[in-house]
Amino acid sequence: MALSHTFDTRVLCPAAAAGAAVQSVLLGLLGAVIGLGPAGWLTGLAFTVGTWALLTRALRRSWHRPFGPANGVTLARTMLVGGVTALVADSFVSPPPVAVLVVLTAVALALDAVDGQVARRTGTESPLGARFDMEVDAFLILVLSVYVAMSLGAWVLLIGVMRYVFVAAARALPWLNGPLPPSMARKTVAAMQGIVLLVAAAGVLPLLAAHTAVLVALALLVWSFGRDIRWLWRVRVRECAPVVPDAVHERV
């Protein structure tokens, strides 16, 4: 049964609205403590409005249960990513407080291992929750790659845009939207991207070591996407293969 408009407004929107409110408070704290500039403010507010709008739309279209603690954790991660996004935008104008950026990013990455566990333990797993988590991960990697690219080179952006290129390609090639089998290697490579970019952003490695670490992470990401694309192609070929009747049926 479809959710009524009244139910959507009273039950679903408050979760997104509360996230937007807390995100605004975080931006205010960053502005008060470190003097967030106009670029950071505008980008942070744009992130807040965009997140609120997209999450509200997703909830209204497909939600059928309470928001739940796991999605609450993901929403908290989203707010931290919004703070990181504002700091990175400000870094184009003035050097950012690296310690603050590192702390926000580290907490966001740590919470990535929490929301999935909470969902499984509370029995609140859902396709929307999984998609919400994945989009937050992807955007954080994109923002980190932008920041690291300023010191290591534009090639680092390949890490951040790869998933979005894959999504765009899937619009033209629908077979790329096929389900993938569970893979610990895929999860490990994905988690590695954030960790490596965080270390590179922190500036704790010599320049050559940072280049090497990020390059290895990129190579593993290319391998992971390539492996998945190859698997999806093989499945497509099998599904599209004509059915050849066996010899007995041919003789009959």
Side-chain angles (χ1 to χ4, degrees), residues 9 22 26 31 47 63 82 101 104 130 156 159 163 186 197 204-205 208:
T9 301
V22 177
L26 175 60
F47 178 91
W63 202 244
L101 187 148
L104 292 179
V156 181
I159 293 178
R163 183 202 172 249
R186 184 190 308 118
L197 289 174
V204 297
L205 294 178
L208 179 59

Side-chain angles (χ1 to χ4, degrees), residues 5-173:
H5 176 73
T6 301
F7 183 77
D8 285 344
T9 301
R10 294 183 180 179
V11 178
L12 299 181
C13 292
V22 177
Q23 179 74 82
S24 300
V25 171
L26 175 60
L27 292 175
L29 289 174
L30 290 175
V33 174
I34 65 173
L36 199 61
W41 270 108
L42 290 174
T43 304
L45 291 174
F47 178 91
T48 302
V49 173
T51 300
W52 172 81
L54 291 173
L55 184 56
T56 298
R57 182 186 178 199
L59 290 172
R60 284 180 170 174
R61 291 178 62 182
S62 61
W63 202 244
H64 59 278
R65 64 176 84 179
F67 193 67
N71 288 307
V73 175
T74 307
L75 187 59
R77 290 179 53 227
T78 305
M79 291 180 269
L80 294 173
V81 173
V84 174
T85 302
L87 292 176
V88 171
D90 238 14
S91 70
F92 284 92
V93 180
S94 60
V98 177
V100 177
L101 187 148
V102 168
V103 169
L104 292 179
T105 303
V107 176
L109 291 175
L111 288 177
D112 187 27
V114 175
D115 47 13
Q117 293 182 12
V118 172
R120 287 186 291 272
R121 292 180 179 179
T122 58
T124 56
E125 294 174 288
S126 69
L128 178 58
R131 179 66 181 273
F132 185 20
D133 177 62
M134 180 173 60
E135 295 299 340
V136 173
D137 291 341
F139 194 80
L140 177 57
I141 296 302
L142 174 62
V143 172
L144 287 176
S145 69
V146 169
Y147 180 72
V148 175
M150 287 189 282
S151 58
L152 300 188
W155 61 272
V156 181
L157 293 174
L158 292 173
I159 293 178
V161 304
M162 196 169 300
R163 183 202 172 249
Y164 295 100
V165 171
F166 180 86
V167 171
R171 293 183 177 272
L173 303 170

